[in-house]
Amino acid sequence: AQSVSQHNHHVILSEAASLELGCNYSYGGTVNLFWYVQYPGQHLQLLLKYFSGDPLVKGIKGFEAEFIKSKFSFNLRKPSVQWSDTAEYFCAVKGNAGNMLTFGGGTRLMVKP
Amino acid sequence: GAGVSQSPSNKVTEKGKDVELRCDPISGHTALYWYRQRLGQGLEFLIYFQGNSAPDKSGLPSDRFSAERTGESVSTLTIQRTQQEDSAVYLCASSLRLTENIQYFGAGTRLSVL
Protein backbone atom coordinates (compact mmCIF):
# COMPACT_ATOMS: atom_id res chain seq x y z
CA ALA A 1 0.00 0.00 0.00
CA GLN A 2 1.20 3.49 -0.74
CA SER A 3 2.12 5.78 2.13
CA VAL A 4 3.21 9.38 2.53
CA SER A 5 5.60 10.72 5.15
CA GLN A 6 5.94 14.29 6.26
CA HIS A 7 8.89 14.38 8.60
CA ASN A 8 8.31 17.80 10.10
CA HIS A 9 5.24 17.86 12.31
CA HIS A 10 5.71 21.41 13.58
CA VAL A 11 7.78 24.20 12.07
CA ILE A 12 8.22 27.67 13.51
CA LEU A 13 9.77 30.39 11.38
CA SER A 14 10.16 34.11 11.46
CA GLU A 15 8.80 36.21 8.64
CA ALA A 16 11.08 36.37 5.59
CA ALA A 17 12.72 33.06 6.45
CA SER A 18 12.87 30.40 3.77
CA LEU A 19 10.67 27.33 4.02
CA GLU A 20 11.13 23.76 2.95
CA LEU A 21 8.70 21.04 4.02
CA GLY A 22 9.62 17.47 3.28
CA CYS A 23 7.33 14.90 1.69
CA ASN A 24 8.30 11.34 0.76
CA TYR A 25 6.02 8.68 -0.63
CA SER A 26 6.34 4.94 -1.03
CA TYR A 27 4.91 4.06 -4.41
CA GLY A 28 6.99 3.00 -7.35
CA GLY A 29 4.57 3.57 -10.18
CA THR A 30 3.24 6.67 -11.85
CA VAL A 31 2.00 9.17 -9.30
CA ASN A 32 0.11 12.40 -9.13
CA LEU A 33 1.33 14.60 -6.28
CA PHE A 34 -0.38 17.37 -4.38
CA TRP A 35 0.14 19.85 -1.62
CA TYR A 36 -2.96 21.05 0.20
CA VAL A 37 -3.09 23.84 2.79
CA GLN A 38 -5.54 24.39 5.61
CA TYR A 39 -5.55 27.89 7.06
CA PRO A 40 -6.95 28.32 10.57
CA GLY A 41 -10.71 27.90 10.51
CA GLN A 42 -10.82 27.17 6.79
CA HIS A 43 -11.19 24.07 4.69
CA LEU A 44 -8.47 22.30 2.75
CA GLN A 45 -7.36 24.12 -0.39
CA LEU A 46 -5.12 22.96 -3.20
CA LEU A 47 -1.76 24.70 -3.14
CA LEU A 48 -0.14 23.00 -6.13
CA LYS A 49 -0.04 19.75 -8.03
CA TYR A 50 2.24 17.64 -10.21
CA PHE A 51 0.89 15.33 -12.88
CA SER A 52 3.67 15.17 -15.45
CA GLY A 53 6.22 17.31 -17.27
CA ASP A 54 8.44 19.86 -15.55
CA PRO A 55 9.24 18.45 -12.11
CA LEU A 56 9.38 21.95 -10.64
CA VAL A 57 5.84 23.15 -10.19
CA LYS A 58 4.65 26.51 -9.04
CA GLY A 59 1.51 27.09 -7.05
CA ILE A 60 -0.36 29.91 -5.47
CA LYS A 61 1.08 32.46 -3.05
CA GLY A 62 4.68 31.96 -4.16
CA PHE A 63 4.92 28.29 -3.24
CA GLU A 64 6.72 25.75 -5.38
CA ALA A 65 7.51 22.07 -5.13
CA GLU A 66 10.01 19.82 -6.82
CA PHE A 67 9.30 16.23 -7.78
CA ILE A 68 12.44 14.11 -7.50
CA LYS A 69 11.50 10.67 -8.75
CA SER A 70 14.73 9.00 -7.66
CA LYS A 71 14.16 10.16 -4.10
CA PHE A 72 10.38 9.60 -4.08
CA SER A 73 10.11 13.15 -2.81
CA PHE A 74 7.93 16.18 -3.45
CA ASN A 75 9.20 18.88 -1.12
CA LEU A 76 7.40 22.19 -0.75
CA ARG A 77 9.37 25.43 -0.75
CA LYS A 78 8.87 29.13 -0.38
CA PRO A 79 11.79 31.56 -0.41
CA SER A 80 10.29 34.06 2.04
CA VAL A 81 7.36 33.21 4.30
CA GLN A 82 4.78 35.62 5.61
CA TRP A 83 2.73 35.60 8.78
CA SER A 84 -0.30 34.74 6.62
CA ASP A 85 1.33 31.43 5.65
CA THR A 86 0.60 30.11 9.14
CA ALA A 87 -1.40 26.98 8.40
CA GLU A 88 -1.26 23.21 8.24
CA TYR A 89 0.22 21.73 5.07
CA PHE A 90 -0.60 18.27 3.74
CA CYS A 91 1.19 16.33 1.05
CA ALA A 92 -0.92 13.81 -0.87
CA VAL A 93 -0.32 11.17 -3.50
CA LYS A 94 -2.52 9.40 -5.97
CA GLY A 95 -1.12 6.20 -7.41
CA ASN A 96 -2.57 3.73 -9.85
CA ALA A 97 -4.27 1.57 -7.23
CA GLY A 98 -7.32 3.77 -7.03
CA ASN A 99 -8.53 7.30 -7.27
CA MET A 100 -8.34 8.19 -3.62
CA LEU A 101 -5.60 10.38 -2.23
CA THR A 102 -3.17 9.13 0.38
CA PHE A 103 -2.22 11.94 2.74
CA GLY A 104 0.76 12.56 4.94
CA GLY A 105 0.24 13.42 8.58
CA GLY A 106 0.53 17.15 7.96
CA THR A 107 2.97 19.86 9.03
CA ARG A 108 1.85 22.74 11.19
CA LEU A 109 3.67 25.91 10.20
CA MET A 110 3.71 28.91 12.47
CA VAL A 111 5.22 32.11 11.15
CA LYS A 112 6.12 34.67 13.79
CA PRO A 113 5.62 38.31 12.76
CA GLY B 1 -23.32 25.45 -5.30
CA ALA B 2 -20.07 27.31 -5.19
CA GLY B 3 -18.28 24.69 -3.16
CA VAL B 4 -18.66 21.36 -1.41
CA SER B 5 -21.19 21.71 1.38
CA GLN B 6 -21.28 19.45 4.42
CA SER B 7 -23.80 19.24 7.23
CA PRO B 8 -23.94 19.34 10.12
CA SER B 9 -20.73 21.22 10.83
CA ASN B 10 -20.61 19.74 14.31
CA LYS B 11 -22.27 16.66 15.76
CA VAL B 12 -22.13 15.44 19.33
CA THR B 13 -23.60 12.04 19.99
CA GLU B 14 -23.64 9.36 22.63
CA LYS B 15 -21.80 6.10 22.24
CA GLY B 16 -24.02 3.53 20.58
CA LYS B 17 -26.16 5.99 18.63
CA ASP B 18 -26.30 6.15 14.85
CA VAL B 19 -25.27 9.30 12.99
CA GLU B 20 -25.76 10.48 9.43
CA LEU B 21 -23.50 13.00 7.75
CA ARG B 22 -24.37 14.77 4.53
CA CYS B 23 -22.33 16.02 1.61
CA ASP B 24 -23.42 18.19 -1.31
CA PRO B 25 -20.73 18.11 -4.01
CA ILE B 26 -19.95 20.87 -6.45
CA SER B 27 -22.58 20.87 -9.18
CA GLY B 28 -21.45 18.80 -12.13
CA HIS B 29 -18.77 16.90 -10.25
CA THR B 30 -19.17 13.22 -10.93
CA ALA B 31 -16.71 11.86 -8.36
CA LEU B 32 -17.27 12.14 -4.61
CA TYR B 33 -14.95 11.07 -1.81
CA TRP B 34 -15.20 10.68 1.96
CA TYR B 35 -12.18 10.98 4.24
CA ARG B 36 -11.69 10.94 7.99
CA GLN B 37 -9.22 13.07 9.91
CA ARG B 38 -8.49 12.11 13.48
CA LEU B 39 -6.97 14.67 15.81
CA GLY B 40 -3.37 15.41 14.90
CA GLN B 41 -3.34 13.04 11.95
CA GLY B 42 -3.63 13.18 8.20
CA LEU B 43 -6.69 12.27 6.21
CA GLU B 44 -7.72 8.64 5.82
CA PHE B 45 -9.66 7.60 2.75
CA LEU B 46 -13.01 5.97 3.44
CA ILE B 47 -15.01 5.58 0.22
CA TYR B 48 -15.51 7.12 -3.20
CA PHE B 49 -18.27 7.22 -5.77
CA GLN B 50 -18.07 7.78 -9.50
CA GLY B 51 -21.33 8.24 -11.34
CA ASN B 52 -23.39 5.07 -11.30
CA SER B 53 -20.42 2.75 -10.88
CA ALA B 54 -20.06 0.60 -7.80
CA PRO B 55 -18.35 2.62 -5.07
CA ASP B 56 -14.84 1.86 -3.85
CA LYS B 57 -15.44 0.98 -0.20
CA SER B 58 -11.92 -0.21 0.49
CA GLY B 59 -11.23 2.42 3.14
CA LEU B 60 -14.26 1.84 5.35
CA PRO B 61 -12.89 0.77 8.77
CA SER B 62 -15.75 -1.51 9.77
CA ASP B 63 -19.22 -2.65 8.75
CA ARG B 64 -20.67 0.04 11.01
CA PHE B 65 -19.74 2.53 8.30
CA SER B 66 -21.75 2.86 5.11
CA ALA B 67 -22.37 5.52 2.51
CA GLU B 68 -24.84 6.15 -0.25
CA ARG B 69 -25.00 8.50 -3.18
CA THR B 70 -27.93 9.03 -5.49
CA GLY B 71 -26.70 9.60 -9.02
CA GLU B 72 -24.28 12.49 -9.06
CA SER B 73 -25.78 14.43 -6.20
CA VAL B 74 -25.90 14.28 -2.43
CA SER B 75 -24.10 11.63 -0.44
CA THR B 76 -24.70 10.48 3.11
CA LEU B 77 -22.21 8.73 5.35
CA THR B 78 -23.82 6.68 8.11
CA ILE B 79 -22.05 5.42 11.19
CA GLN B 80 -24.02 2.90 13.21
CA ARG B 81 -23.50 2.19 16.91
CA THR B 82 -20.90 4.94 17.21
CA GLN B 83 -17.81 4.37 19.31
CA GLN B 84 -15.49 6.90 20.91
CA GLU B 85 -12.79 6.09 18.38
CA ASP B 86 -15.13 7.34 15.64
CA SER B 87 -14.59 10.88 16.92
CA ALA B 88 -12.96 12.78 14.08
CA VAL B 89 -13.57 15.33 11.35
CA TYR B 90 -15.28 13.72 8.38
CA LEU B 91 -14.38 15.42 5.12
CA CYS B 92 -16.08 15.17 1.78
CA ALA B 93 -14.46 16.06 -1.53
CA SER B 94 -15.60 16.08 -5.12
CA SER B 95 -13.85 16.21 -8.46
CA LEU B 96 -15.05 16.95 -11.93
CA ARG B 97 -14.53 13.36 -13.04
CA LEU B 98 -12.56 10.39 -11.88
CA THR B 99 -9.65 11.17 -14.15
CA GLU B 100 -9.56 14.77 -12.97
CA ASN B 101 -7.56 14.30 -9.84
CA ILE B 102 -8.07 17.71 -8.30
CA GLN B 103 -10.32 17.16 -5.33
CA TYR B 104 -12.18 20.06 -3.76
CA PHE B 105 -12.93 19.69 -0.08
CA GLY B 106 -15.79 20.74 2.13
CA ALA B 107 -15.34 22.21 5.58
CA GLY B 108 -16.05 18.87 7.23
CA THR B 109 -18.27 17.57 9.99
CA ARG B 110 -16.67 17.37 13.42
CA LEU B 111 -18.07 14.30 15.14
CA SER B 112 -17.67 13.89 18.88
CA VAL B 113 -18.79 10.61 20.45
CA LEU B 114 -19.21 10.85 24.21
Side-chain angles (χ1 to χ4, degrees), chain B residues 67-100:
Chain B
E68 293 184 349
R69 187 184 187 196
T70 305
E72 295 181 355
S73 60
V74 170
S75 175
T76 55
L77 177 69
T78 301
I79 309 174
Q80 295 178 309
R81 305 181 302 282
T82 52
Q83 303 295 312
Q84 288 185 330
E85 62 262 28
D86 299 333
S87 296
V89 177
Y90 289 82
L91 290 159
C92 177
S94 68
S95 63
L96 188 57
R97 52 191 174 273
L98 207 53
T99 54
E100 170 57 72

mmCIF file of all heavy atoms in Angstrom, chain B residues 67-100:
data_model
loop_
_atom_site.group_PDB
_atom_site.id
_atom_site.type_symbol
_atom_site.label_atom_id
_atom_site.label_comp_id
_atom_site.label_asym_id
_atom_site.label_seq_id
_atom_site.Cartn_x
_atom_site.Cartn_y
_atom_site.Cartn_z
ATOM 1 N N ALA B 67 -22.108 4.260 3.192
ATOM 2 C CA ALA B 67 -22.371 5.521 2.506
ATOM 3 C C ALA B 67 -23.213 5.247 1.282
ATOM 4 O O ALA B 67 -23.144 4.164 0.690
ATOM 5 C CB ALA B 67 -21.072 6.225 2.115
ATOM 6 N N GLU B 68 -23.991 6.238 0.933
ATOM 7 C CA GLU B 68 -24.842 6.152 -0.251
ATOM 8 C C GLU B 68 -24.710 7.446 -1.048
ATOM 9 O O GLU B 68 -24.395 8.511 -0.500
ATOM 10 C CB GLU B 68 -26.305 5.963 0.150
ATOM 11 C CG GLU B 68 -26.622 4.647 0.803
ATOM 12 C CD GLU B 68 -28.105 4.494 1.086
ATOM 13 O OE1 GLU B 68 -28.852 5.486 0.975
ATOM 14 O OE2 GLU B 68 -28.511 3.367 1.430
ATOM 15 N N ARG B 69 -24.941 7.312 -2.333
ATOM 16 C CA ARG B 69 -25.001 8.500 -3.177
ATOM 17 C C ARG B 69 -26.032 8.229 -4.257
ATOM 18 O O ARG B 69 -26.002 7.175 -4.901
ATOM 19 C CB ARG B 69 -23.656 8.816 -3.819
ATOM 20 C CG ARG B 69 -23.681 10.140 -4.568
ATOM 21 C CD ARG B 69 -22.381 10.401 -5.284
ATOM 22 N NE ARG B 69 -22.379 11.746 -5.858
ATOM 23 C CZ ARG B 69 -21.525 12.156 -6.783
ATOM 24 N NH1 ARG B 69 -20.595 11.360 -7.247
ATOM 25 N NH2 ARG B 69 -21.592 13.398 -7.242
ATOM 26 N N THR B 70 -26.908 9.156 -4.459
ATOM 27 C CA THR B 70 -27.926 9.032 -5.486
ATOM 28 C C THR B 70 -27.445 9.763 -6.731
ATOM 29 O O THR B 70 -27.305 10.988 -6.721
ATOM 30 C CB THR B 70 -29.265 9.639 -5.018
ATOM 31 O OG1 THR B 70 -29.649 9.031 -3.790
ATOM 32 C CG2 THR B 70 -30.327 9.412 -6.075
ATOM 33 N N GLY B 71 -27.153 8.993 -7.769
ATOM 34 C CA GLY B 71 -26.695 9.597 -9.016
ATOM 35 C C GLY B 71 -25.432 10.394 -8.807
ATOM 36 O O GLY B 71 -24.450 9.881 -8.278
ATOM 37 N N GLU B 72 -25.450 11.634 -9.221
ATOM 38 C CA GLU B 72 -24.277 12.488 -9.064
ATOM 39 C C GLU B 72 -24.591 13.635 -8.120
ATOM 40 O O GLU B 72 -24.077 14.742 -8.275
ATOM 41 C CB GLU B 72 -23.825 13.012 -10.433
ATOM 42 C CG GLU B 72 -23.351 11.901 -11.348
ATOM 43 C CD GLU B 72 -22.872 12.401 -12.696
ATOM 44 O OE1 GLU B 72 -22.990 13.612 -12.971
ATOM 45 O OE2 GLU B 72 -22.382 11.574 -13.480
ATOM 46 N N SER B 73 -25.403 13.351 -7.108
ATOM 47 C CA SER B 73 -25.778 14.426 -6.196
ATOM 48 C C SER B 73 -25.334 14.093 -4.782
ATOM 49 O O SER B 73 -24.247 13.601 -4.553
ATOM 50 C CB SER B 73 -27.290 14.654 -6.277
ATOM 51 O OG SER B 73 -27.982 13.473 -5.903
ATOM 52 N N VAL B 74 -26.213 14.354 -3.861
ATOM 53 C CA VAL B 74 -25.897 14.284 -2.433
ATOM 54 C C VAL B 74 -25.446 12.899 -2.013
ATOM 55 O O VAL B 74 -25.909 11.877 -2.533
ATOM 56 C CB VAL B 74 -27.146 14.696 -1.633
ATOM 57 C CG1 VAL B 74 -26.970 14.428 -0.154
ATOM 58 C CG2 VAL B 74 -27.476 16.154 -1.896
ATOM 59 N N SER B 75 -24.535 12.882 -1.044
ATOM 60 C CA SER B 75 -24.103 11.627 -0.444
ATOM 61 C C SER B 75 -24.309 11.704 1.063
ATOM 62 O O SER B 75 -24.194 12.775 1.661
ATOM 63 C CB SER B 75 -22.634 11.361 -0.750
ATOM 64 O OG SER B 75 -22.174 10.210 -0.070
ATOM 65 N N THR B 76 -24.610 10.560 1.654
ATOM 66 C CA THR B 76 -24.703 10.480 3.109
ATOM 67 C C THR B 76 -23.773 9.384 3.607
ATOM 68 O O THR B 76 -23.706 8.298 3.027
ATOM 69 C CB THR B 76 -26.135 10.183 3.574
ATOM 70 O OG1 THR B 76 -26.593 8.985 2.925
ATOM 71 C CG2 THR B 76 -27.075 11.319 3.247
ATOM 72 N N LEU B 77 -23.059 9.693 4.656
ATOM 73 C CA LEU B 77 -22.210 8.732 5.352
ATOM 74 C C LEU B 77 -22.898 8.404 6.666
ATOM 75 O O LEU B 77 -23.218 9.305 7.439
ATOM 76 C CB LEU B 77 -20.822 9.319 5.599
ATOM 77 C CG LEU B 77 -19.840 8.460 6.391
ATOM 78 C CD1 LEU B 77 -19.409 7.247 5.570
ATOM 79 C CD2 LEU B 77 -18.606 9.272 6.790
ATOM 80 N N THR B 78 -23.138 7.124 6.890
ATOM 81 C CA THR B 78 -23.819 6.681 8.107
ATOM 82 C C THR B 78 -22.868 5.869 8.960
ATOM 83 O O THR B 78 -22.164 4.991 8.454
ATOM 84 C CB THR B 78 -25.055 5.833 7.767
ATOM 85 O OG1 THR B 78 -25.952 6.612 6.956
ATOM 86 C CG2 THR B 78 -25.779 5.401 9.030
ATOM 87 N N ILE B 79 -22.825 6.202 10.231
ATOM 88 C CA ILE B 79 -22.049 5.415 11.192
ATOM 89 C C ILE B 79 -23.035 4.857 12.203
ATOM 90 O O ILE B 79 -23.736 5.612 12.895
ATOM 91 C CB ILE B 79 -20.979 6.265 11.908
ATOM 92 C CG1 ILE B 79 -20.135 7.036 10.890
ATOM 93 C CG2 ILE B 79 -20.093 5.366 12.770
ATOM 94 C CD1 ILE B 79 -19.161 8.016 11.533
ATOM 95 N N GLN B 80 -23.095 3.549 12.267
ATOM 96 C CA GLN B 80 -24.017 2.899 13.205
ATOM 97 C C GLN B 80 -23.292 2.566 14.507
ATOM 98 O O GLN B 80 -22.076 2.313 14.511
ATOM 99 C CB GLN B 80 -24.557 1.613 12.580
ATOM 100 C CG GLN B 80 -25.421 1.853 11.352
ATOM 101 C CD GLN B 80 -25.908 0.549 10.737
ATOM 102 O OE1 GLN B 80 -25.126 -0.352 10.481
ATOM 103 N NE2 GLN B 80 -27.204 0.459 10.494
ATOM 104 N N ARG B 81 -24.036 2.596 15.599
ATOM 105 C CA ARG B 81 -23.497 2.194 16.914
ATOM 106 C C ARG B 81 -22.146 2.863 17.151
ATOM 107 O O ARG B 81 -21.125 2.204 17.348
ATOM 108 C CB ARG B 81 -23.378 0.677 16.988
ATOM 109 C CG ARG B 81 -24.682 -0.056 16.680
ATOM 110 C CD ARG B 81 -24.506 -1.576 16.790
ATOM 111 N NE ARG B 81 -23.482 -2.111 15.911
ATOM 112 C CZ ARG B 81 -23.624 -2.323 14.610
ATOM 113 N NH1 ARG B 81 -24.770 -2.020 14.015
ATOM 114 N NH2 ARG B 81 -22.635 -2.834 13.903
ATOM 115 N N THR B 82 -22.158 4.188 17.131
ATOM 116 C CA THR B 82 -20.905 4.936 17.209
ATOM 117 C C THR B 82 -20.087 4.558 18.440
ATOM 118 O O THR B 82 -20.616 4.249 19.513
ATOM 119 C CB THR B 82 -21.166 6.450 17.225
ATOM 120 O OG1 THR B 82 -22.130 6.735 18.251
ATOM 121 C CG2 THR B 82 -21.687 6.930 15.893
ATOM 122 N N GLN B 83 -18.784 4.621 18.255
ATOM 123 C CA GLN B 83 -17.808 4.365 19.309
ATOM 124 C C GLN B 83 -16.972 5.618 19.504
ATOM 125 O O GLN B 83 -16.898 6.476 18.614
ATOM 126 C CB GLN B 83 -16.903 3.190 18.916
ATOM 127 C CG GLN B 83 -17.643 1.903 18.611
ATOM 128 C CD GLN B 83 -18.356 1.355 19.838
ATOM 129 O OE1 GLN B 83 -17.769 1.262 20.917
ATOM 130 N NE2 GLN B 83 -19.622 1.001 19.688
ATOM 131 N N GLN B 84 -16.305 5.714 20.629
ATOM 132 C CA GLN B 84 -15.495 6.896 20.907
ATOM 133 C C GLN B 84 -14.386 7.075 19.872
ATOM 134 O O GLN B 84 -14.037 8.208 19.529
ATOM 135 C CB GLN B 84 -14.931 6.845 22.321
ATOM 136 C CG GLN B 84 -15.993 7.082 23.391
ATOM 137 C CD GLN B 84 -15.430 7.143 24.786
ATOM 138 O OE1 GLN B 84 -14.416 6.506 25.090
ATOM 139 N NE2 GLN B 84 -16.094 7.889 25.660
ATOM 140 N N GLU B 85 -13.862 5.975 19.372
ATOM 141 C CA GLU B 85 -12.793 6.090 18.378
ATOM 142 C C GLU B 85 -13.282 6.608 17.036
ATOM 143 O O GLU B 85 -12.461 6.881 16.142
ATOM 144 C CB GLU B 85 -12.081 4.748 18.177
ATOM 145 C CG GLU B 85 -12.959 3.639 17.656
ATOM 146 C CD GLU B 85 -13.462 2.734 18.755
ATOM 147 O OE1 GLU B 85 -13.596 3.212 19.897
ATOM 148 O OE2 GLU B 85 -13.722 1.548 18.464
ATOM 149 N N ASP B 86 -14.598 6.752 16.873
ATOM 150 C CA ASP B 86 -15.134 7.339 15.644
ATOM 151 C C ASP B 86 -15.042 8.860 15.669
ATOM 152 O O ASP B 86 -15.275 9.514 14.646
ATOM 153 C CB ASP B 86 -16.601 6.942 15.433
ATOM 154 C CG ASP B 86 -16.799 5.438 15.300
ATOM 155 O OD1 ASP B 86 -15.844 4.745 14.869
ATOM 156 O OD2 ASP B 86 -17.894 4.956 15.627
ATOM 157 N N SER B 87 -14.720 9.432 16.817
ATOM 158 C CA SER B 87 -14.593 10.882 16.919
ATOM 159 C C SER B 87 -13.508 11.368 15.968
ATOM 160 O O SER B 87 -12.367 10.903 16.021
ATOM 161 C CB SER B 87 -14.254 11.290 18.355
ATOM 162 O OG SER B 87 -15.313 10.953 19.232
ATOM 163 N N ALA B 88 -13.881 12.289 15.103
ATOM 164 C CA ALA B 88 -12.962 12.775 14.076
ATOM 165 C C ALA B 88 -13.681 13.855 13.274
ATOM 166 O O ALA B 88 -14.877 14.107 13.473
ATOM 167 C CB ALA B 88 -12.543 11.640 13.131
ATOM 168 N N VAL B 89 -12.944 14.465 12.356
ATOM 169 C CA VAL B 89 -13.571 15.328 11.349
ATOM 170 C C VAL B 89 -13.756 14.493 10.087
ATOM 171 O O VAL B 89 -12.809 13.869 9.606
ATOM 172 C CB VAL B 89 -12.716 16.570 11.053
ATOM 173 C CG1 VAL B 89 -13.361 17.411 9.950
ATOM 174 C CG2 VAL B 89 -12.531 17.414 12.314
ATOM 175 N N TYR B 90 -14.960 14.475 9.587
ATOM 176 C CA TYR B 90 -15.277 13.719 8.375
ATOM 177 C C TYR B 90 -15.372 14.706 7.221
ATOM 178 O O TYR B 90 -16.178 15.629 7.227
ATOM 179 C CB TYR B 90 -16.568 12.919 8.560
ATOM 180 C CG TYR B 90 -16.353 11.780 9.518
ATOM 181 C CD1 TYR B 90 -16.402 11.990 10.892
ATOM 182 C CD2 TYR B 90 -16.038 10.511 9.048
ATOM 183 C CE1 TYR B 90 -16.149 10.952 11.785
ATOM 184 C CE2 TYR B 90 -15.786 9.463 9.922
ATOM 185 C CZ TYR B 90 -15.842 9.700 11.290
ATOM 186 O OH TYR B 90 -15.573 8.668 12.168
ATOM 187 N N LEU B 91 -14.504 14.498 6.235
ATOM 188 C CA LEU B 91 -14.385 15.424 5.122
ATOM 189 C C LEU B 91 -14.902 14.783 3.839
ATOM 190 O O LEU B 91 -14.662 13.611 3.577
ATOM 191 C CB LEU B 91 -12.918 15.821 4.921
ATOM 192 C CG LEU B 91 -12.347 16.716 6.025
ATOM 193 C CD1 LEU B 91 -10.837 16.636 6.039
ATOM 194 C CD2 LEU B 91 -12.786 18.144 5.821
ATOM 195 N N CYS B 92 -15.581 15.589 3.070
ATOM 196 C CA CYS B 92 -16.081 15.170 1.783
ATOM 197 C C CYS B 92 -15.361 15.991 0.712
ATOM 198 O O CYS B 92 -15.036 17.168 0.928
ATOM 199 C CB CYS B 92 -17.584 15.415 1.705
ATOM 200 S SG CYS B 92 -18.339 15.030 0.119
ATOM 201 N N ALA B 93 -15.080 15.368 -0.405
ATOM 202 C CA ALA B 93 -14.459 16.064 -1.534
ATOM 203 C C ALA B 93 -15.138 15.630 -2.815
ATOM 204 O O ALA B 93 -15.709 14.538 -2.891
ATOM 205 C CB ALA B 93 -12.965 15.753 -1.600
ATOM 206 N N SER B 94 -15.083 16.484 -3.818
ATOM 207 C CA SER B 94 -15.597 16.085 -5.125
ATOM 208 C C SER B 94 -14.604 16.516 -6.194
ATOM 209 O O SER B 94 -13.794 17.419 -5.988
ATOM 210 C CB SER B 94 -16.982 16.698 -5.397
ATOM 211 O OG SER B 94 -16.937 18.100 -5.548
ATOM 212 N N SER B 95 -14.673 15.825 -7.315
ATOM 213 C CA SER B 95 -13.853 16.211 -8.457
ATOM 214 C C SER B 95 -14.691 16.097 -9.707
ATOM 215 O O SER B 95 -15.681 15.364 -9.754
ATOM 216 C CB SER B 95 -12.576 15.369 -8.563
ATOM 217 O OG SER B 95 -12.877 14.004 -8.783
ATOM 218 N N LEU B 96 -14.237 16.810 -10.730
ATOM 219 C CA LEU B 96 -15.045 16.948 -11.932
ATOM 220 C C LEU B 96 -15.337 15.595 -12.556
ATOM 221 O O LEU B 96 -16.431 15.340 -13.019
ATOM 222 C CB LEU B 96 -14.314 17.861 -12.927
ATOM 223 C CG LEU B 96 -15.089 18.270 -14.167
ATOM 224 C CD1 LEU B 96 -16.386 18.956 -13.790
ATOM 225 C CD2 LEU B 96 -14.240 19.199 -15.037
ATOM 226 N N ARG B 97 -14.354 14.730 -12.559
ATOM 227 C CA ARG B 97 -14.526 13.359 -13.042
ATOM 228 C C ARG B 97 -13.409 12.552 -12.437
ATOM 229 O O ARG B 97 -12.468 13.096 -11.886
ATOM 230 C CB ARG B 97 -14.488 13.295 -14.571
ATOM 231 C CG ARG B 97 -13.271 13.960 -15.191
ATOM 232 C CD ARG B 97 -13.386 14.109 -16.686
ATOM 233 N NE ARG B 97 -12.272 14.878 -17.218
ATOM 234 C CZ ARG B 97 -12.252 16.199 -17.303
ATOM 235 N NH1 ARG B 97 -13.288 16.895 -16.893
ATOM 236 N NH2 ARG B 97 -11.220 16.823 -17.803
ATOM 237 N N LEU B 98 -13.500 11.267 -12.557
ATOM 238 C CA LEU B 98 -12.562 10.388 -11.882
ATOM 239 C C LEU B 98 -11.143 10.628 -12.351
ATOM 240 O O LEU B 98 -10.193 10.536 -11.598
ATOM 241 C CB LEU B 98 -12.965 8.934 -12.116
ATOM 242 C CG LEU B 98 -12.546 7.935 -11.041
ATOM 243 C CD1 LEU B 98 -13.007 8.396 -9.671
ATOM 244 C CD2 LEU B 98 -13.110 6.572 -11.354
ATOM 245 N N THR B 99 -10.984 10.960 -13.622
ATOM 246 C CA THR B 99 -9.647 11.170 -14.149
ATOM 247 C C THR B 99 -9.135 12.574 -13.871
ATOM 248 O O THR B 99 -7.987 12.864 -14.130
ATOM 249 C CB THR B 99 -9.621 10.916 -15.672
ATOM 250 O OG1 THR B 99 -10.633 11.718 -16.280
ATOM 251 C CG2 THR B 99 -9.881 9.447 -15.957
ATOM 252 N N GLU B 100 -9.994 13.432 -13.389
ATOM 253 C CA GLU B 100 -9.562 14.768 -12.971
ATOM 254 C C GLU B 100 -9.227 14.667 -11.493
ATOM 255 O O GLU B 100 -10.110 14.564 -10.661
ATOM 256 C CB GLU B 100 -10.674 15.778 -13.221
ATOM 257 C CG GLU B 100 -10.445 17.151 -12.607
ATOM 258 C CD GLU B 100 -9.165 17.793 -13.061
ATOM 259 O OE1 GLU B 100 -9.090 18.212 -14.226
ATOM 260 O OE2 GLU B 100 -8.217 17.854 -12.244
#
